[in-house]
Amino acid sequence: MSAQEDMRLVVLGFGFSALAFTRAVRPGNVVGTTRSSEKADDLHQRGVRSIVTDGSHSASLSEAVRNATHILVTAAPSDGVDPFIHGLERDFHHASDLSWIGYVSTIGVYGDHRGARVDERAACIPTAERGQWRLAAEGSWTALGRRIGVPVGIFRAAGIYGPGRNTFVALKEGRAKRIVKEGQVFNRIHVDDLAGVLKAATAKPATRIYNVADNEPAPPQDVVTFAADLMGCEPPPAIPFDEANLSPMARSFYGDVKRVDNRRIKNELGVRLIYPTYREGLTSMWESGLWRAR
């Protein structure tokens, strides 16, 4: 039996990224948590045993954690509190076969670096609350790993896109905006490349912080224009940032400018990105017709 077939994976917060990861590794047994019964039915159809929970005590989840070989955490903190770590600590101490914990975080923990390049050693000065919460959660999961003697990998992901979650969908639904702010760039990562990084990390197993981002931080308006060109439609008009009617959360994304260095995933994990820039990612989805949700 291969290592992947023998993998007993528990995903805390099973969603978009976790689905791509399970497709990549095809573990022998998968348990995923979700907050809704509707999503639980969908997970069941995909061969995932679901547990409906908001992080409160669940005998089924306790048993799954104690039996797990790998834990992947994608659930975001809520009001500054990680929904799982404290309630499950006793179960982690009794997880005798557990060999790895992966925590999917965000490059938002770095905050604003005024366009400078940031690697994993850069100062973390998150400007938004959610970045502060994620940074605290990174520390909590790392500390738990030390207490129980299990490797923990932290994966700071850029903006995740893929089938069903991309600029084509936004254009189709009339939600895409071409907002222009001088000097603003963002990194992105295709969900299949994120899954590839996590797969490589489980094989190590990886125990460090890793930036999971593409090779090219790019202005957001360029991405919208490129997608519209592929679709053969007119891009939405350019809107100066100061005139854009954005929600407070959307506006906060434009407060940080940084260029993310992704060399560690290549040099240490041997990852070769399938989609090194948004152009390859969008072109592949459009030409294959796989831009819609799977």
Side-chain angles (χ1 to χ4, degrees):
M1 180 178 291
S2 71
Q4 291 177 5
E5 290 173 336
D6 198 35
M7 180 187 292
R8 300 188 299 277
L9 172 68
V10 174
V11 180
L12 302 178
F14 199 106
F16 186 60
S17 302
L19 181 59
F21 175 61
T22 54
R23 281 200 180 103
V25 299
R26 300 188 179 279
N29 180 280
V30 190
V31 177
T33 72
T34 179
R35 291 175 177 268
S36 77
S37 298
E38 181 180 344
K39 288 184 179 179
D41 291 340
D42 179 64
L43 293 184
H44 177 73
Q45 295 297 319
R46 299 178 186 274
V48 177
R49 184 163 72 88
S50 60
I51 297 174
V52 180
T53 179
D54 59 0
S56 55
H57 178 72
S58 162
S60 297
L61 183 55
S62 292
E63 179 185 3
V65 168
R66 292 183 181 217
N67 190 50
T69 60
H70 296 73
I71 302 283
L72 179 66
V73 187
T74 63
S78 177
D79 293 327
V81 178
D82 186 282
F84 290 104
I85 190 168
H86 298 297
L88 290 172
E89 175 144 1
R90 179 178 296 179
D91 300 307
F92 278 107
H93 280 278
H94 287 86
S96 56
D97 293 333
L98 187 61
S99 61
W100 181 80
I101 298 171
Y103 182 77
V104 179
S105 186
T106 169
I107 59 171
V109 300
Y110 291 115
D112 183 21
H113 282 256
R114 299 183 179 183
R117 195 169 184 86
V118 295
D119 64 13
E120 291 83 354
R121 296 167 296 180
C124 289
I125 44 174
T127 53
E129 270 190 335
R130 63 184 177 280
Q132 296 166 12
W133 299 344
R134 282 287 195 181
L135 187 60
E138 287 182 10
S140 295
W141 284 102
T142 300
L144 172 66
R146 292 195 189 103
R147 290 196 296 274
I148 63 176
V150 171
V152 176
I154 304 294
F155 304 90
R156 293 174 175 167
I160 304 169
Y161 72 100
R165 187 184 296 184
N166 55 68
T167 310
F168 300 126
V169 175
L171 284 164
K172 191 78 171 177
E173 296 178 353
R175 297 184 288 103
K177 294 182 179 180
R178 199 153 57 97
I179 297 167
V180 180
K181 183 181 180 186
E182 184 68 27
Q184 184 71 54
V185 293
F186 294 112
N187 282 87
R188 297 153 189 84
I189 190 71
H190 191 287
V191 70
D192 288 345
D193 277 323
L194 170 58
V197 170
L198 295 173
K199 181 179 179 180
T202 62
K204 280 283 187 182
T207 61
R208 298 229 280 168
I209 295 170
Y210 296 90
N211 288 337
V212 187
D214 62 7
N215 293 348
E216 184 179 326
Q221 67 270 20
D222 290 3
V223 179
V224 177
T225 299
F226 186 82
D229 287 346
L230 286 172
M231 295 180 77
C233 66
E234 284 294 318
I239 304 172
F241 175 75
D242 292 339
E243 299 175 16
N245 184 23
L246 297 175
S247 68
M249 177 174 288
R251 184 167 287 270
S252 71
F253 281 109
Y254 284 81
D256 295 348
V257 188
K258 51 188 167 287
R259 290 171 167 81
V260 180
D261 187 318
N262 64 6
R263 284 177 291 183
R264 184 175 285 183
I265 60 172
K266 299 172 182 178
N267 296 340
E268 294 190 8
L269 300 182
V271 169
R272 182 176 180 180
L273 296 177
I274 306 169
Y275 309 108
T277 79
Y278 69 88
R279 287 181 291 274
E280 290 86 357
L282 291 178
T283 299
S284 175
M285 283 192 292
W286 183 253
E287 291 182 347
S288 66
L290 295 178
W291 57 274
R292 300 174 180 86
R294 291 174 180 170

